[in-house]
Amino acid sequence: MTEYSKSKLNTVNRLGKRGKYDFETIHGLVNQSPVVHVAFATDTSEPFPTILPMIGQMGSFKDSSAGLDSPLECYLHGYVSSRIMRLSQEAVARGEDGLPVCVTATKVDGYVLALAPFHHSYNYRSAILHGYAQPVESEEEKAWAMELVTNSVVPQRWQNARTPPTKTEMKSTTILRVKIHAGSAKLRSGVPSDDRFDLKDESVVNNVWAGVVPTWQVMGDPIPSSDNAVAKVPGYLKEFVEKENIRNKDIALKAVKE
Amino acid sequence: MTEYSKSKLNTVNRLGKRGKYDFETIHGLVNQSPVVHVAFATDTSEPFPTILPMIGQMGSFKDSSAGLDSPLECYLHGYVSSRIMRLSQEAVARGEDGLPVCVTATKVDGYVLALAPFHHSYNYRSAILHGYAQPVESEEEKAWAMELVTNSVVPQRWQNARTPPTKTEMKSTTILRVKIHAGSAKLRSGVPSDDRFDLKDESVVNNVWAGVVPTWQVMGDPIPSSDNAVAKVPGYLKEFVEKENIRNKDIALKAVKE
């Protein structure tokens, strides 16, 4: 299996040709996003679901070398409020699969400026996963996931920071593992798509600029803290910043031409 | 009233000093985000809430000159699936205030690299709103909101595109208005905060680079589409790109020093 099966839950209905269901696209988008948004229902008297920004990374504890095109689980870390932890634990205690959550990752690659506001859009890539969140209980899996998540922010950072974590740090860290139930992605690239009657109207075409403003996330030079005693920015960090800057710009520019 | 009152729903519990409740901070964050994430409960047999990336902008139709520090409503546009529209309409038809939703806007300003992985963080700004979504029914308010949303992407774009919309465009456009029930923001800035025992350990301090990698959204030069007939990039667009690039970089760099 290398893709999520389509169901009522995950099928992209509007502009369906933009929908993608393969593991590689969806998992890759989650792994490239510094932040994912996680929605869950609360147990207050209020009717609203809530959203937390968290760090998310796809991985497989059983087969840590599994590629993006394999079935993976989503490991979540970040400002794990006591609420999402408590609700996940309570769900497991009730014998359920975990807390039902929705995880999304979104990248904006360009502002698509058409002749008419109606056809304005973004070039974007977004992924959505639905699944059941459980707190990771085993110490071994937790340590593995902490390394996975840390290295998802900056590759090789775990090996180049003070590790292993202390017992207190391990206890204070909470990781959620989301067993994926459904997933999909939606992508838009290219130039604006305008109506023929606007393209034929000289007063419109001669007055309205149409095209794309590409946009991407850029990283500046690393800034040492006052406590830092390492004279040079280490190679792994320098390389990460340089590579990401090139890659992100490249994606945004290529999206215009697709 | 210039801030949201604190309740169980919106109080920032973890690291509470990072919490903010004033209208200006929260509304400003929504308005600066090209994309917001909107969560709502579905009516399928599945237990998962779902999330849509949408365009969101705070505003007041009754007092369109109201500032960010005023009570405002959130206007949503984008890939409004038939589902969120239908659910909002159904809620109104049942005599309810609308569909309960959660709207979030998140900006990452820097990668905070501490000595220990445990103290790694992001400099970030995130806003969260809870409220009731209703489809905008009045033609006048809808036209106003379409202009608000278009100009939130690129200022003055509405005036510089082909307007007004055709009757078909008006009919095909759906705008949701969210009446805000609660809101809060959470912000982190500055350098890493490490434990004293790590800072005193020379083998740690001399080997682990500590500091911040600032990050921000950058826009490239506007790329005309093959249908474009306007020779020069118009002033309002050039100015927008230049100003945003300076502002975004400035925010990320200033956050390190705070």
Side-chain angles (χ1 to χ4, degrees):
Chain A
M1 207 173 69
T2 58
E3 64 173 35
Y4 292 106
S5 43
K6 282 165 94 167
S7 71
K8 205 179 160 188
L9 186 67
N10 70 334
T11 299
V12 175
N13 291 314
R14 190 169 182 283
L15 300 171
K17 63 183 174 164
R18 294 185 183 170
K20 290 250 191 184
Y21 302 90
D22 64 287
F23 287 161
E24 193 160 3
T25 301
I26 297 164
H27 298 167
L29 272 169
V30 172
N31 285 8
Q32 284 165 38
S33 297
V35 163
V36 296
H37 286 87
V38 184
F40 57 99
T42 64
D43 62 347
T44 64
S45 57
E46 314 267 13
F48 311 101
T50 203
I51 299 183
L52 282 181
M54 297 175 82
I55 305 182
Q57 193 71 7
M58 307 302 301
S60 167
F61 178 58
K62 282 179 192 156
D63 175 13
S64 59
S65 66
L68 288 176
D69 58 350
S70 308
L72 299 174
E73 291 173 319
C74 183
Y75 287 86
L76 295 173
H77 179 71
Y79 293 105
V80 180
S81 73
S82 56
R83 190 164 53 179
I84 194 174
M85 287 306 302
R86 179 173 55 75
L87 292 172
S88 297
Q89 265 156 355
E90 285 172 6
V92 173
R94 283 195 302 270
E96 296 166 13
D97 288 334
L99 179 70
V101 298
C102 176
V103 179
T104 49
T106 308
K107 297 261 189 187
V108 176
D109 295 325
Y111 294 66
V112 179
L113 306 181
L115 296 174
F118 185 73
H119 290 291
H120 279 54
S121 186
Y122 288 126
N123 282 337
Y124 66 89
R125 293 163 288 150
S126 72
I128 181 163
L129 294 169
H130 291 96
Y132 294 97
Q134 287 200 358
V136 172
E137 300 290 357
S138 116
E139 288 294 296
E140 202 193 344
E141 184 174 357
K142 202 194 220 182
W144 172 84
M146 284 162 76
E147 180 174 336
L148 177 80
V149 166
T150 303
N151 285 344
S152 82
V153 177
V154 176
Q156 302 176 57
R157 182 64 188 172
W158 185 266
Q159 288 71 22
N160 288 285
R162 192 272 290 147
T163 47
T166 64
K167 277 186 186 172
T168 312
E169 287 171 352
M170 285 296 290
K171 268 192 193 164
S172 313
T173 302
T174 41
I175 300 265
L176 291 175
R177 181 188 54 243
V178 183
K179 193 180 151 191
I180 308 303
H181 174 79
S184 62
K186 204 168 171 187
L187 295 90
R188 198 256 182 228
S189 57
V191 291
S193 158
D194 269 298
D195 284 315
R196 205 172 292 177
F197 63 84
D198 277 328
L199 289 167
K200 279 186 178 166
D201 187 333
E202 287 200 2
S203 73
V204 172
V205 172
N206 291 333
N207 284 297
V208 182
W209 187 91
V212 179
V213 183
T215 183
W216 63 93
Q217 193 76 13
V218 76
M219 276 180 268
D221 292 329
I223 299 169
S225 74
S226 54
D227 291 325
N228 176 64
V230 177
K232 269 193 175 177
V233 174
Y236 69 92
L237 184 55
K238 219 181 144 193
E239 196 186 325
F240 165 66
V241 171
E242 284 168 2
K243 276 194 179 169
E244 277 291 293
N245 282 343
I246 291 170
R247 197 176 66 94
N248 289 339
K249 183 177 180 176
D250 199 48
I251 290 171
L253 294 181
K254 275 194 182 146
V256 183
K257 289 172 197 158
E258 269 166 17
Chain B
M1 206 173 69
T2 58
E3 63 173 37
Y4 292 105
S5 44
K6 282 163 93 167
S7 71
K8 205 179 161 189
L9 185 69
N10 70 335
T11 299
V12 175
N13 290 312
R14 191 170 182 284
L15 301 171
K17 63 180 175 167
R18 293 185 183 169
K20 290 251 191 185
Y21 303 89
D22 65 287
F23 288 160
E24 193 160 3
T25 300
I26 297 164
H27 298 167
L29 273 168
V30 172
N31 284 8
Q32 284 165 37
S33 296
V35 163
V36 296
H37 286 87
V38 183
F40 57 98
T42 63
D43 63 346
T44 63
S45 57
E46 313 268 11
F48 313 101
T50 204
I51 300 182
L52 283 181
M54 297 175 82
I55 304 182
Q57 194 70 7
M58 308 300 303
S60 167
F61 178 58
K62 282 179 193 158
D63 174 13
S64 59
S65 65
L68 288 176
D69 58 351
S70 307
L72 299 174
E73 291 173 319
C74 184
Y75 287 85
L76 295 174
H77 179 70
Y79 293 105
V80 181
S81 72
S82 56
R83 190 162 54 178
I84 193 173
M85 287 306 302
R86 180 173 53 77
L87 293 172
S88 298
Q89 265 157 351
E90 286 172 5
V92 173
R94 283 194 303 269
E96 297 166 12
D97 289 334
L99 179 70
V101 297
C102 176
V103 180
T104 50
T106 307
K107 296 262 190 186
V108 177
D109 296 323
Y111 293 66
V112 179
L113 307 181
L115 297 173
F118 186 73
H119 290 289
H120 279 54
S121 186
Y122 288 126
N123 282 338
Y124 66 90
R125 293 164 287 149
S126 71
I128 181 163
L129 294 168
H130 291 97
Y132 295 96
Q134 287 199 359
V136 172
E137 300 290 359
S138 115
E139 288 294 298
E140 202 192 345
E141 184 173 356
K142 202 194 219 182
W144 172 85
M146 284 163 76
E147 180 174 339
L148 177 80
V149 166
T150 303
N151 284 344
S152 82
V153 177
V154 176
Q156 301 176 57
R157 182 64 188 173
W158 185 265
Q159 289 71 21
N160 288 284
R162 192 272 290 148
T163 47
T166 66
K167 275 187 187 173
T168 311
E169 287 171 351
M170 284 296 290
K171 267 193 192 165
S172 313
T173 302
T174 40
I175 300 265
L176 292 175
R177 181 188 54 242
V178 183
K179 193 178 152 193
I180 309 302
H181 174 79
S184 62
K186 205 168 171 186
L187 297 90
R188 199 257 183 228
S189 57
V191 292
S193 159
D194 270 299
D195 285 313
R196 206 171 291 177
F197 64 84
D198 276 329
L199 289 167
K200 278 185 179 167
D201 187 335
E202 289 199 0
S203 73
V204 171
V205 172
N206 289 334
N207 284 297
V208 182
W209 186 90
V212 178
V213 183
T215 183
W216 63 93
Q217 194 76 12
V218 76
M219 275 179 269
D221 292 331
I223 299 169
S225 74
S226 55
D227 291 325
N228 175 66
V230 177
K232 268 193 176 179
V233 174
Y236 69 92
L237 184 56
K238 218 180 146 196
E239 195 186 326
F240 165 66
V241 171
E242 282 168 4
K243 276 195 179 169
E244 277 290 294
N245 282 342
I246 292 171
R247 197 175 66 95
N248 289 340
K249 183 177 180 177
D250 199 46
I251 290 171
L253 294 181
K254 275 196 181 145
V256 184
K257 289 173 197 158
E258 269 167 18

